[in-house]
């Protein structure tokens, strides 16, 4: 595990996963082992959303890819490539057609292995600042590769009636819980404020909207996404792809306490 620190601000990173962010002793991130979700953050790539009803198959210009929910990137280990007191950079490399073991098999999936027909490199950089926490992503692959990207962080909740404000709208925890596994879509949005015991502002660059998800009252996932997967039928999930231009694309999420 790596600890990043600046003044009274700490971030903890375990093999590329942001497992803690605290300011003046207050922890903002959902903790592993607490009810709700087994992780604190992960990435959804190269697809977002469920694939079971489509037979776990997604169409690409290079043929059919086998993908489980939210893609195959989460099944791959990160390599630490650089580190300092305030930032850490991780990398995942994938060779086209390589089989990746699916951790959901056999309990939650029929597919033992997943694959994608393109090479790619996926870089994640976590940087702690006096003003907040920056999580940035860079995708390197061949020009024209289709993809979706989502970042999936979980935030700890400690008050009875927290709320999310986005585009002038106030969203209650009850509304998020009511939507269930499909997640509540917040379209055309690049900034959200979570009001709990303390306020947290989440701003994005490169993403198009958010999904809000939880099934418990002690945490909420505020997920920047390039595409909301339930906007189309599962067999047409490829309609949500964007294509890589100039062989790379960059995205950023800034988490700032207020």
């Amino acid at each position: 595990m790596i600890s990043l620190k600046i003044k009274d601000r700490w971030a903890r990173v375990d093999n590329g996963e942001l497992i803690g962010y605290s300011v003046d002793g207050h922890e903002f991130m959902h903790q592993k082992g607490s009810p709700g979700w087994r992780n604190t953050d992960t990435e959804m790539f190269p697809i977002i959303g469920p694939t079971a009803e489509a037979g776990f198959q997604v169409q690409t210009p290079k043929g059919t890819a086998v993908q489980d929910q939210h893609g195959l990137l989460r099944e791959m280990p990160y390599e630490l490539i650089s580190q300092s007191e305030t930032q850490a950079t991780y990398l995942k490399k994938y060779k086209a057609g390589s089989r990746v073991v699916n951790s959901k098999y056999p309990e939650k999936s029929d597919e033992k292995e997943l694959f994608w027909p393109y090479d790619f490199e996926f870089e994640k950089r976590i940087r702690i600042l006096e003003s907040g926490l920056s999580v940035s992503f860079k995708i390197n692959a061949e020009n024209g590769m289709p993809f979706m990207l989502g970042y999936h962080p979980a935030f700890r909740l400690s008050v009875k009636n927290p709320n999310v404000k986005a585009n002038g709208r106030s969203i209650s925890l009850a509304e998020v819980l009511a939507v269930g596994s499909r997640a509540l879509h917040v379209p055309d949005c690049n900034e959200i404020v979570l009001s709990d015991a303390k306020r947290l502002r989440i701003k994005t660059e490169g993403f198009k909207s958010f999904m809000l998800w939880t099934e418990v009252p002690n945490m909420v996932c505020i997920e920047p996404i390039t595409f909301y997967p339930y906007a189309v039928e599962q067999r047409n999930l490829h309609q949500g792809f964007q294509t890589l231009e100039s062989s790379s694309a960059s995205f950023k999420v800034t988490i700032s306490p207020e």
Side-chain angles (χ1 to χ4, degrees), residues 163-166 169 171-172 175-177 179-186 192 194 209-214 220-225 228:
N163 72 79
V164 168
K165 291 185 178 178
R169 175 187 176 189
I171 303 168
S172 69
E175 291 177 78
V176 180
L177 286 163
V179 177
S181 61
R182 292 174 67 92
L184 192 153
H185 186 206
V186 184
I192 272 180
L194 170 64
S209 57
F210 286 89
M211 295 191 300
L212 307 179
W213 171 81
T214 189
V220 64
C221 294
I222 299 176
E223 309 170 36
I225 51 175
Y228 180 63

Side-chain angles (χ1 to χ4, degrees), residues 76-230:
M76 300 164 53
Y78 271 115
E79 173 190 358
L80 177 65
I81 59 174
S82 69
Q83 160 185 7
S84 70
E85 290 185 358
T86 57
Q87 72 176 36
T89 304
Y90 295 84
L91 186 68
K92 294 185 180 185
K93 294 183 180 181
Y94 178 78
K95 182 69 175 175
S98 299
R99 266 49 181 178
V100 176
V101 174
N102 184 10
S103 63
K104 292 180 176 290
Y105 176 86
E107 288 82 8
K108 297 181 179 180
S109 175
D110 295 334
E111 293 294 332
K112 185 176 182 179
E113 296 178 324
L114 313 173
F115 68 87
W116 183 246
Y118 298 83
D119 296 341
F120 67 77
E121 293 185 355
F122 188 94
E123 180 183 286
K124 178 180 185 180
R125 177 173 296 171
I126 300 172
R127 184 183 181 194
I128 195 163
L129 308 162
E130 290 187 30
S131 58
L133 188 72
S134 167
V135 184
S136 59
F137 309 100
K138 186 175 182 181
I139 301 164
N140 291 307
E142 68 180 76
N143 191 30
M145 185 187 82
F147 73 95
M148 305 172 202
L149 174 63
Y151 179 46
H152 193 311
F155 299 96
R156 190 178 74 167
L157 300 176
S158 56
V159 302
K160 186 176 180 180
N161 295 305
N163 72 79
V164 168
K165 291 185 178 178
N167 289 344
R169 175 187 176 189
S170 182
I171 303 168
S172 69
L173 182 63
E175 291 177 78
V176 180
L177 286 163
V179 177
S181 61
R182 292 174 67 92
L184 192 153
H185 186 206
V186 184
D188 303 319
C189 182
N190 61 11
E191 184 172 333
I192 272 180
V193 175
L194 170 64
S195 294
D196 187 57
K198 295 184 180 292
R199 284 164 51 99
L200 201 63
R201 187 176 299 271
I202 298 100
K203 297 179 66 174
T204 69
E205 297 176 19
F207 296 94
K208 296 179 180 179
S209 57
F210 286 89
M211 295 191 300
L212 307 179
W213 171 81
T214 189
E215 295 179 350
V216 294
N218 60 280
M219 58 151 263
V220 64
C221 294
I222 299 176
E223 309 170 36
I225 51 175
T226 60
F227 176 71
Y228 180 63
Y230 296 100

